[in-house]
Amino acid sequence: MKKLLVTISVFFVFLIAFANELVVYTYDSFVSGIGQKIVPVFEKMYGCKVKLLSFGDAGAVLARLIAEKKNPRADVIIGLDQGLLPKAIKAGVLERYTPVNLSLLKYQELFNEYGVPYDFGSIAIVYNKEKIQNPPESFNDLLNPQFKGKIVVEDPRTSSTGLSFLLWTIAVYGDKYLDFWKKFKDNILTITPGWDEAFEMLESGEAEMMVSYATDGAYSYYYYGSITYVPVIMKEGAFVQVEYASLIKNARNPELAKRFLEFILMNYFQKEVPLNQWMLPVTQTELPEAFSYVPEIKKTLQVSDEIYDNLEEILKEWTKVIIGG
């Protein structure tokens, strides 16, 4: 048995030595943010090269992955959330994997056999306090005419943030969620493909409010020394987004991909989550001072598995109401 284990170990070392490039598909801000911190560490640890490729927001990245299903070019996809993960599983583009260091995960209930969670955070409405004097506190407040043409939302067909916001409205209104959107439409300034484009509009002053994350207050304090961008969790309750990294089916370098999925649970990765992802780490990790400005979550909302199973139809109905056609 010992001889067999040694042979298997040598075999895997051989595979890793010759499969020395890991291709990771992800979203824009991962490449320009935390990716710059963690990739050199992983490359040094395993003597390999990591190629991070972005195709926009997470929804667009998944569309690319599905298009390449018969000839996958990536080994790992980073950024699918609980809204997009079922679509990827249904499309048959992911492989099951349980990391050997899964015990590091602080919240074991977040694990999915097709995805290893690496951060999480609550969706929020974020406003510029220098421009908005009476911010909304509830979804009903979001319909107030005083916010007409002031709120930027992300497209749920291409953005994981946008999809989470759509799911949040479903969690609040149930099968009446489209009634909310029909009224909310007048208050939308524009719909962006992803979070990055929306946040650029907020930072440039082009927009006054956007759909973002509860950690944006921490971001504002860290970079500006004050809370310019204030997050609000609607009083109906919070919707928490969980982001996953997954092994791609028929990946070219599956062993190196598995090492990467274990790496994201290590402190090398998790310590970089708060100030780069502006989300919360999934392991026992010390938080920076700025995170004391993240609003407390008093109540969380969820949607049923049936909603995730019917997302394609839900997105069609949303498109008909908001985009037209």
Side-chain angles (χ1 to χ4, degrees):
M1 177 59 76
K2 185 176 181 181
K3 185 177 180 180
L4 176 61
L5 291 175
V6 170
T7 302
I8 291 173
S9 298
V10 170
F11 175 69
F12 283 133
V13 169
F14 177 83
L15 280 180
I16 291 173
F18 285 89
N20 62 353
E21 182 179 83
L22 185 74
V23 179
V24 178
Y25 281 5
T26 186
Y27 47 80
D28 291 340
S29 60
F30 191 96
V31 175
S32 59
I34 192 172
Q36 302 295 316
K37 301 279 186 179
I38 57 93
V39 163
V41 178
F42 185 80
E43 288 179 335
K44 184 177 181 181
M45 186 178 292
Y46 288 98
C48 65
K49 288 293 181 184
V50 176
K51 185 183 289 184
L52 291 180
L53 298 176
S54 171
F55 306 99
D57 213 317
V61 178
L62 176 56
R64 172 84 176 218
L65 189 64
I66 292 173
E68 295 177 353
K69 179 180 177 180
K70 293 182 179 178
N71 184 27
R73 299 175 182 177
D75 303 296
V76 171
I77 181 169
I78 291 178
L80 301 180
D81 64 5
Q82 69 266 47
L84 292 172
L85 194 62
K87 182 178 180 180
I89 295 170
K90 190 175 181 180
V93 295
L94 302 182
E95 193 71 71
R96 291 185 179 89
Y97 183 64
T98 301
V100 296
N101 58 351
L102 185 63
S103 61
L104 292 175
L105 183 62
K106 185 177 179 181
Y107 311 98
Q108 290 287 317
E109 66 274 18
L110 299 183
F111 176 68
N112 184 297
E113 59 184 347
Y114 286 97
V116 181
Y118 61 90
D119 65 22
F120 69 101
S122 173
I123 300 296
I125 297 296
V126 174
Y127 68 94
N128 184 334
K129 73 174 186 181
E130 295 175 356
K131 297 185 176 182
I132 298 291
Q133 304 303 317
N134 298 300
E137 297 180 354
S138 68
F139 277 92
N140 192 50
D141 290 346
L142 284 177
L143 304 179
N144 193 312
Q146 70 168 312
F147 302 127
K148 185 175 182 178
K150 291 187 176 180
I151 305 172
V152 179
V153 301
E154 299 86 355
D155 193 329
R157 298 170 299 176
T158 55
S159 165
S160 60
T161 312
L163 180 57
S164 290
F165 182 64
L166 174 58
L167 292 171
W168 194 8
T169 64
I170 294 173
V172 171
Y173 292 103
D175 58 6
K176 303 291 185 184
Y177 73 98
L178 284 176
D179 292 342
F180 166 81
W181 279 93
K182 288 173 185 174
K183 299 172 184 173
F184 183 55
K185 185 177 179 180
D186 287 342
N187 288 355
I188 296 176
L189 172 62
T190 190
I191 299 172
T192 59
W195 179 89
D196 292 78
E197 296 89 342
F199 194 69
E200 285 174 9
M201 292 182 69
L202 186 72
E203 277 201 310
S204 68
E206 192 176 351
E208 299 179 7
M209 301 173 68
M210 67 174 285
V211 174
S212 191
Y213 294 90
T215 49
D216 282 18
Y219 174 91
S220 184
Y221 178 80
Y222 185 79
Y223 282 107
Y224 303 104
S226 63
I227 310 297
T228 302
Y229 307 124
V230 183
V232 180
I233 297 175
M234 301 291 101
K235 69 179 184 182
E236 288 88 346
F239 188 85
V240 176
Q241 181 190 39
V242 183
E243 293 191 295
Y244 294 89
S246 301
L247 172 63
I248 294 173
K249 193 170 188 178
N250 298 320
R252 293 180 180 182
N253 299 318
E255 293 307 318
L256 197 54
K258 291 174 183 175
R259 300 295 83 77
F260 191 84
L261 295 183
E262 289 152 4
F263 174 73
I264 67 170
L265 292 176
M266 297 179 186
N267 194 48
Y268 301 110
F269 185 104
Q270 288 294 308
K271 72 177 183 180
E272 303 292 351
V273 166
L275 296 181
N276 289 281
Q277 288 290 92
W278 295 100
M279 297 280 271
L280 295 165
V282 296
T283 63
Q284 195 68 44
T285 304
E286 186 176 355
L287 293 174
E289 179 192 356
F291 272 66
S292 62
Y293 295 95
V294 177
E296 181 184 359
I297 297 175
K298 297 178 180 177
K299 177 184 177 184
T300 59
L301 302 175
Q302 296 180 341
V303 295
S304 67
D305 291 342
E306 184 181 357
I307 295 297
Y308 292 116
D309 291 339
N310 293 309
L311 267 184
E312 192 170 338
E313 188 60 33
I314 288 170
L315 288 171
K316 285 180 182 177
E317 292 298 321
W318 178 89
T319 302
K320 190 183 300 181
V321 169
I322 301 301
I323 308 297

